[in-house]
Amino acid sequence: MTEPISPFDSDAIEQLRQQHRLDPEYVRTLRNRLFKQFRSDEDATSNFPLRDSLRCHVLQQYRRFDSDLDGATKLLFRTEAGMLIESVILRIATGRTTLCVSSQVGCAAACDFCATGKMGIAKNLDYTEILDQVLQAGQLLASEDGSLDNIVFMGMGEPFHNESQLHKTIEVLTAPDHFNRSPSRILVSTVGVSDAMIQMAGRFPKVNLALSLHSADQSTREKIIPLARRYPLDQLRTTIQRCNEIQSHEVMIEYLMLRDVNDSVIDRDRLAKWLDGLNVHLNLIPYNPIEDAPHLAGTEPDAIADFARAMKGLGVKTTVRYSLGRDIDAACGQLVRKENRTYALRLNANVARHSPTA
Ligand SMILES: C[S@@+](CC[C@H](N)C(=O)[O-])C[C@H]1O[C@@H](n2cnc3c(N)ncnc32)[C@H](O)[C@@H]1O
Ligand code: SF4
């Protein structure tokens, strides 16, 4: 009995097609139905002669949380390795939908304010695991007669720590004979990995980039983002200049509003100075408190609005992120953290037991 084939694996699909002398039209129809129309597995594979050789999903849907407050849905998936990852569907009032995907389980960057960074693990997802988040969310939206408009890499993980799988994912997402998504509707958010940002801008110039800046002061940034030591602010500014030269659109600057950390008048003026001359758009993010960082608190909404007004006054294009799904975030984040920690501990115990020095 041969291993089932993932429809995302073009080489394996082509090999199968040639082996069975299948008309390429069958493969085209399968891809159109599954990747472009997001039909159900059964419907999409119904006339594919080798449907029993396929396995449409590498992720198992584990839980679903729907917000009572707004149109957010959080999907928890279990990977084959047993880890939980999350994807979030944001249904925005304008009718547009955005899917936030994970690129890793956990994250080595270990930012102080981030639940994923506090998980204490970092495992890369492979491209089929990232694409399956898109497929399953797309199928869910299609079943509600909705559509999927934007895909953002703002879920668990640092996408540029998983660069090869990220590039492969974007290739399949934008390939006309696969998902055929517009690159301008894809956004990759990073904590700031300079060389990878420039690579991305060069290889996929239409894909949007977002930099999680969070402070324009080097020592403050280092306190909340350990990776800031490796990629100092001067280097990041030059990186954005380089991306601006390659790309025709703005880079998004994400700025988490943390009370008494980065929200003073001095912080604001320093930020405006740092952004001056760059083709950017500033997005202020309200902080979502996490259990593992009791020392951090978010800036009050009124103060965020004042900060935004002042930044606009200083000539910076500024918006405030309206955060969706707050009611489901805590429940889901805690579940993911707890289960993945338990799993990682079990895994480490097994490795120790089997290591020659144990
Ligand atoms: C989870 S990260 C994933 C992408 C990438 N690793 C990055 O840092 O940009 C996506 C965004 O969520 C933000 N974020 C992390 N923890 C947060 C929290 N507790 N409240 C609000 N935003 C948070 C990050 O700063 C980043 O801008
Ligand atoms: S890089 Fe992004 S995902 Fe990783 S810990 Fe920092 S905020 Fe979280």
Side-chain angles (χ1 to χ4, degrees):
M1 178 80 186
T2 49
E3 284 282 302
I5 291 172
S6 161
F8 304 125
D9 187 342
S10 318
D11 292 344
I13 292 279
E14 181 54 18
Q15 216 175 14
L16 183 77
R17 189 194 71 71
Q18 286 182 12
Q19 248 170 28
H20 295 266
R21 296 170 197 277
L22 207 62
D23 188 330
E25 190 53 34
Y26 282 114
V27 175
R28 252 194 305 275
T29 305
L30 172 73
R31 287 185 179 140
N32 283 345
R33 289 180 174 186
L34 204 55
F35 301 159
K36 294 180 188 167
Q37 298 160 12
F38 292 128
R39 295 204 207 173
S40 68
D41 299 348
E42 208 186 331
D43 190 5
T45 58
S46 60
N47 78 339
F48 190 71
L50 304 167
R51 60 183 299 188
D52 290 342
S53 308
L54 296 176
R55 193 175 43 142
C56 290
H57 303 290
V58 288
L59 298 175
Q60 183 204 338
Q61 197 173 312
Y62 173 67
R63 291 279 294 273
R64 171 180 170 164
F65 297 89
D66 289 290
S67 169
D68 289 330
L69 300 175
D70 47 51
T73 296
K74 204 166 263 205
L75 300 173
L76 291 199
F77 295 108
R78 200 179 277 289
T79 66
E80 269 172 10
M83 301 294 222
L84 291 186
I85 55 165
E86 62 178 53
S87 312
V88 188
I89 298 172
L90 304 167
R91 298 175 187 82
I92 299 158
T94 55
R96 287 216 166 273
T97 54
T98 295
L99 174 69
C100 179
V101 292
S102 294
S103 54
Q104 297 185 301
V105 182
C107 181
C111 300
D112 196 22
F113 46 79
C114 176
T116 304
K118 297 276 187 190
M119 227 174 260
I121 20 170
K123 292 194 183 304
N124 284 341
L125 295 178
D126 89 356
Y127 78 103
T128 63
E129 291 168 319
I130 307 176
L131 289 170
D132 200 16
Q133 298 172 57
V134 177
L135 175 56
Q136 295 204 40
Q139 287 178 316
L140 188 154
L141 285 164
S143 73
E144 305 171 344
D145 291 327
S147 64
L148 174 57
D149 299 306
N150 305 306
I151 298 166
V152 298
F153 287 80
M154 284 194 183
M156 292 164 65
E158 169 48 50
F160 289 137
H161 286 170
N162 189 11
E163 200 180 0
S164 67
Q165 296 303 305
L166 172 73
H167 283 198
K168 179 113 203 223
T169 302
I170 295 176
E171 255 170 26
V172 181
L173 284 177
T174 53
D177 60 345
H178 283 70
F179 283 82
N180 197 28
R181 318 281 315 175
S182 163
S184 61
R185 297 220 158 269
I186 298 174
L187 179 142
V188 178
S189 173
T190 176
V191 73
V193 181
S194 290
D195 30 358
M197 289 173 75
I198 295 169
Q199 282 279 341
M200 165 71 63
R203 183 156 173 196
F204 303 104
K206 291 199 170 139
V207 167
N208 298 288
L209 278 168
L211 169 67
S212 296
L213 185 70
H214 306 331
S215 175
D217 173 61
Q218 182 63 23
S219 75
T220 307
R221 196 163 187 269
E222 283 180 16
K223 274 187 204 130
I224 52 176
I225 303 174
L227 208 66
R229 272 175 234 127
R230 178 122 160 247
Y231 299 101
L233 282 167
D234 286 351
Q235 187 182 350
L236 288 181
R237 198 171 182 286
T238 312
T239 302
I240 294 184
Q241 278 171 329
R242 185 77 198 101
C243 292
N244 283 164
E245 283 160 15
I246 302 170
Q247 300 185 302
S248 55
H249 54 266
E250 299 156 346
V251 170
M252 184 198 278
I253 302 293
E254 296 167 276
Y255 195 93
L256 190 60
M257 296 294 297
L258 295 169
R259 193 196 302 159
D260 300 332
V261 175
N262 62 1
D263 62 351
S264 70
V265 172
I266 296 174
D267 292 311
R268 190 192 70 193
D269 292 345
R270 203 183 269 137
L271 176 63
K273 196 165 159 228
W274 196 86
L275 297 176
D276 190 35
L278 298 175
N279 186 17
V280 290
H281 158 204
L282 176 67
N283 195 220
L284 302 178
I285 314 176
Y287 172 59
N288 203 355
I290 61 163
E291 243 180 20
D292 288 329
H295 54 289
L296 293 176
T299 305
E300 292 300 323
D302 284 352
I304 298 181
D306 288 346
F307 196 99
R309 236 186 325 274
M311 289 306 295
K312 283 184 203 161
L314 292 165
V316 180
K317 219 184 262 184
T318 308
T319 45
V320 178
R321 183 172 301 169
Y322 174 63
S323 86
L324 296 164
R326 287 205 154 216
D327 55 331
I328 53 178
D329 207 67
C332 160
Q334 275 163 39
L335 189 68
V336 171
R337 211 160 61 237
K338 197 169 128 249
E339 291 228 0
N340 281 351
R341 264 186 190 157
T342 314
Y343 188 82
L345 283 173
R346 210 184 313 142
L347 212 64
N348 287 343
N350 279 342
V351 170
R353 209 174 302 132
H354 293 113
S355 87
T357 50

PDB file of all heavy atoms in Angstrom, residues 130-145:
ATOM      1  N   ILE A 130       1.290  24.781   6.338  1.00  0.00           N
ATOM      2  CA  ILE A 130       0.855  26.185   6.249  1.00  0.00           C
ATOM      3  C   ILE A 130      -0.285  26.294   5.229  1.00  0.00           C
ATOM      4  O   ILE A 130      -1.315  26.925   5.477  1.00  0.00           O
ATOM      5  CB  ILE A 130       2.037  27.122   5.879  1.00  0.00           C
ATOM      6  CG1 ILE A 130       3.213  26.908   6.857  1.00  0.00           C
ATOM      7  CG2 ILE A 130       1.586  28.574   5.908  1.00  0.00           C
ATOM      8  CD1 ILE A 130       4.466  27.716   6.528  1.00  0.00           C
ATOM      9  N   LEU A 131      -0.111  25.596   4.097  1.00  0.00           N
ATOM     10  CA  LEU A 131      -1.147  25.666   3.053  1.00  0.00           C
ATOM     11  C   LEU A 131      -2.459  25.040   3.512  1.00  0.00           C
ATOM     12  O   LEU A 131      -3.541  25.487   3.134  1.00  0.00           O
ATOM     13  CB  LEU A 131      -0.661  24.960   1.781  1.00  0.00           C
ATOM     14  CG  LEU A 131       0.441  25.685   1.007  1.00  0.00           C
ATOM     15  CD1 LEU A 131       1.013  24.779  -0.082  1.00  0.00           C
ATOM     16  CD2 LEU A 131      -0.090  26.976   0.386  1.00  0.00           C
ATOM     17  N   ASP A 132      -2.366  23.994   4.335  1.00  0.00           N
ATOM     18  CA  ASP A 132      -3.602  23.338   4.772  1.00  0.00           C
ATOM     19  C   ASP A 132      -4.431  24.264   5.673  1.00  0.00           C
ATOM     20  O   ASP A 132      -5.660  24.164   5.713  1.00  0.00           O
ATOM     21  CB  ASP A 132      -3.295  22.009   5.474  1.00  0.00           C
ATOM     22  CG  ASP A 132      -4.514  21.088   5.490  1.00  0.00           C
ATOM     23  OD1 ASP A 132      -5.465  21.337   4.707  1.00  0.00           O
ATOM     24  OD2 ASP A 132      -4.537  20.125   6.284  1.00  0.00           O
ATOM     25  N   GLN A 133      -3.763  25.191   6.375  1.00  0.00           N
ATOM     26  CA  GLN A 133      -4.526  26.182   7.163  1.00  0.00           C
ATOM     27  C   GLN A 133      -5.372  27.032   6.204  1.00  0.00           C
ATOM     28  O   GLN A 133      -6.531  27.334   6.483  1.00  0.00           O
ATOM     29  CB  GLN A 133      -3.584  27.097   7.949  1.00  0.00           C
ATOM     30  CG  GLN A 133      -2.730  26.375   8.975  1.00  0.00           C
ATOM     31  CD  GLN A 133      -1.681  27.308   9.580  1.00  0.00           C
ATOM     32  OE1 GLN A 133      -2.001  28.352  10.146  1.00  0.00           O
ATOM     33  NE2 GLN A 133      -0.412  26.940   9.469  1.00  0.00           N
ATOM     34  N   VAL A 134      -4.766  27.405   5.066  1.00  0.00           N
ATOM     35  CA  VAL A 134      -5.488  28.214   4.074  1.00  0.00           C
ATOM     36  C   VAL A 134      -6.638  27.399   3.481  1.00  0.00           C
ATOM     37  O   VAL A 134      -7.774  27.882   3.372  1.00  0.00           O
ATOM     38  CB  VAL A 134      -4.533  28.683   2.942  1.00  0.00           C
ATOM     39  CG1 VAL A 134      -5.289  29.465   1.884  1.00  0.00           C
ATOM     40  CG2 VAL A 134      -3.378  29.502   3.508  1.00  0.00           C
ATOM     41  N   LEU A 135      -6.341  26.154   3.115  1.00  0.00           N
ATOM     42  CA  LEU A 135      -7.376  25.318   2.490  1.00  0.00           C
ATOM     43  C   LEU A 135      -8.564  25.112   3.438  1.00  0.00           C
ATOM     44  O   LEU A 135      -9.716  25.328   3.056  1.00  0.00           O
ATOM     45  CB  LEU A 135      -6.758  23.967   2.081  1.00  0.00           C
ATOM     46  CG  LEU A 135      -7.721  22.927   1.515  1.00  0.00           C
ATOM     47  CD1 LEU A 135      -8.485  23.470   0.303  1.00  0.00           C
ATOM     48  CD2 LEU A 135      -6.987  21.641   1.118  1.00  0.00           C
ATOM     49  N   GLN A 136      -8.273  24.743   4.695  1.00  0.00           N
ATOM     50  CA  GLN A 136      -9.386  24.444   5.614  1.00  0.00           C
ATOM     51  C   GLN A 136     -10.185  25.704   5.973  1.00  0.00           C
ATOM     52  O   GLN A 136     -11.403  25.668   6.074  1.00  0.00           O
ATOM     53  CB  GLN A 136      -8.865  23.745   6.873  1.00  0.00           C
ATOM     54  CG  GLN A 136      -8.276  22.374   6.532  1.00  0.00           C
ATOM     55  CD  GLN A 136      -8.280  21.394   7.696  1.00  0.00           C
ATOM     56  OE1 GLN A 136      -9.229  21.339   8.462  1.00  0.00           O
ATOM     57  NE2 GLN A 136      -7.236  20.609   7.821  1.00  0.00           N
ATOM     58  N   ALA A 137      -9.492  26.842   6.113  1.00  0.00           N
ATOM     59  CA  ALA A 137     -10.217  28.093   6.395  1.00  0.00           C
ATOM     60  C   ALA A 137     -11.029  28.505   5.169  1.00  0.00           C
ATOM     61  O   ALA A 137     -12.175  28.959   5.287  1.00  0.00           O
ATOM     62  CB  ALA A 137      -9.235  29.196   6.778  1.00  0.00           C
ATOM     63  N   GLY A 138     -10.444  28.341   3.987  1.00  0.00           N
ATOM     64  CA  GLY A 138     -11.145  28.675   2.746  1.00  0.00           C
ATOM     65  C   GLY A 138     -12.394  27.821   2.591  1.00  0.00           C
ATOM     66  O   GLY A 138     -13.469  28.312   2.207  1.00  0.00           O
ATOM     67  N   GLN A 139     -12.278  26.537   2.911  1.00  0.00           N
ATOM     68  CA  GLN A 139     -13.438  25.638   2.807  1.00  0.00           C
ATOM     69  C   GLN A 139     -14.523  26.045   3.803  1.00  0.00           C
ATOM     70  O   GLN A 139     -15.712  26.027   3.480  1.00  0.00           O
ATOM     71  CB  GLN A 139     -13.008  24.191   3.056  1.00  0.00           C
ATOM     72  CG  GLN A 139     -12.213  23.600   1.890  1.00  0.00           C
ATOM     73  CD  GLN A 139     -11.745  22.173   2.162  1.00  0.00           C
ATOM     74  OE1 GLN A 139     -11.253  21.884   3.260  1.00  0.00           O
ATOM     75  NE2 GLN A 139     -11.859  21.304   1.173  1.00  0.00           N
ATOM     76  N   LEU A 140     -14.087  26.442   5.005  1.00  0.00           N
ATOM     77  CA  LEU A 140     -15.072  26.871   6.019  1.00  0.00           C
ATOM     78  C   LEU A 140     -15.834  28.109   5.523  1.00  0.00           C
ATOM     79  O   LEU A 140     -17.062  28.166   5.595  1.00  0.00           O
ATOM     80  CB  LEU A 140     -14.339  27.161   7.321  1.00  0.00           C
ATOM     81  CG  LEU A 140     -15.153  27.444   8.558  1.00  0.00           C
ATOM     82  CD1 LEU A 140     -14.355  27.073   9.793  1.00  0.00           C
ATOM     83  CD2 LEU A 140     -15.594  28.884   8.671  1.00  0.00           C
ATOM     84  N   LEU A 141     -15.074  29.080   4.992  1.00  0.00           N
ATOM     85  CA  LEU A 141     -15.715  30.311   4.509  1.00  0.00           C
ATOM     86  C   LEU A 141     -16.611  30.017   3.311  1.00  0.00           C
ATOM     87  O   LEU A 141     -17.724  30.556   3.203  1.00  0.00           O
ATOM     88  CB  LEU A 141     -14.655  31.353   4.144  1.00  0.00           C
ATOM     89  CG  LEU A 141     -13.989  32.027   5.353  1.00  0.00           C
ATOM     90  CD1 LEU A 141     -12.706  32.732   4.954  1.00  0.00           C
ATOM     91  CD2 LEU A 141     -14.954  33.020   6.006  1.00  0.00           C
ATOM     92  N   ALA A 142     -16.150  29.144   2.413  1.00  0.00           N
ATOM     93  CA  ALA A 142     -16.971  28.813   1.230  1.00  0.00           C
ATOM     94  C   ALA A 142     -18.268  28.138   1.658  1.00  0.00           C
ATOM     95  O   ALA A 142     -19.327  28.361   1.053  1.00  0.00           O
ATOM     96  CB  ALA A 142     -16.181  27.918   0.285  1.00  0.00           C
ATOM     97  N   SER A 143     -18.209  27.341   2.738  1.00  0.00           N
ATOM     98  CA  SER A 143     -19.421  26.656   3.203  1.00  0.00           C
ATOM     99  C   SER A 143     -20.428  27.653   3.769  1.00  0.00           C
ATOM    100  O   SER A 143     -21.607  27.352   3.924  1.00  0.00           O
ATOM    101  CB  SER A 143     -19.080  25.588   4.249  1.00  0.00           C
ATOM    102  OG  SER A 143     -18.734  26.217   5.471  1.00  0.00           O
ATOM    103  N   GLU A 144     -19.938  28.889   4.086  1.00  0.00           N
ATOM    104  CA  GLU A 144     -20.854  29.954   4.570  1.00  0.00           C
ATOM    105  C   GLU A 144     -21.158  30.936   3.442  1.00  0.00           C
ATOM    106  O   GLU A 144     -21.606  32.045   3.691  1.00  0.00           O
ATOM    107  CB  GLU A 144     -20.161  30.789   5.662  1.00  0.00           C
ATOM    108  CG  GLU A 144     -19.628  30.040   6.828  1.00  0.00           C
ATOM    109  CD  GLU A 144     -18.759  30.949   7.734  1.00  0.00           C
ATOM    110  OE1 GLU A 144     -18.341  32.045   7.309  1.00  0.00           O
ATOM    111  OE2 GLU A 144     -18.517  30.534   8.867  1.00  0.00           O
ATOM    112  N   ASP A 145     -20.810  30.558   2.209  1.00  0.00           N
ATOM    113  CA  ASP A 145     -20.948  31.440   1.038  1.00  0.00           C
ATOM    114  C   ASP A 145     -20.069  32.681   1.138  1.00  0.00           C
ATOM    115  O   ASP A 145     -20.367  33.717   0.543  1.00  0.00           O
ATOM    116  CB  ASP A 145     -22.409  31.873   0.812  1.00  0.00           C
ATOM    117  CG  ASP A 145     -23.260  30.707   0.357  1.00  0.00           C
ATOM    118  OD1 ASP A 145     -22.714  29.837  -0.347  1.00  0.00           O
ATOM    119  OD2 ASP A 145     -24.445  30.653   0.745  1.00  0.00           O
TER     120      ASP A 145
END
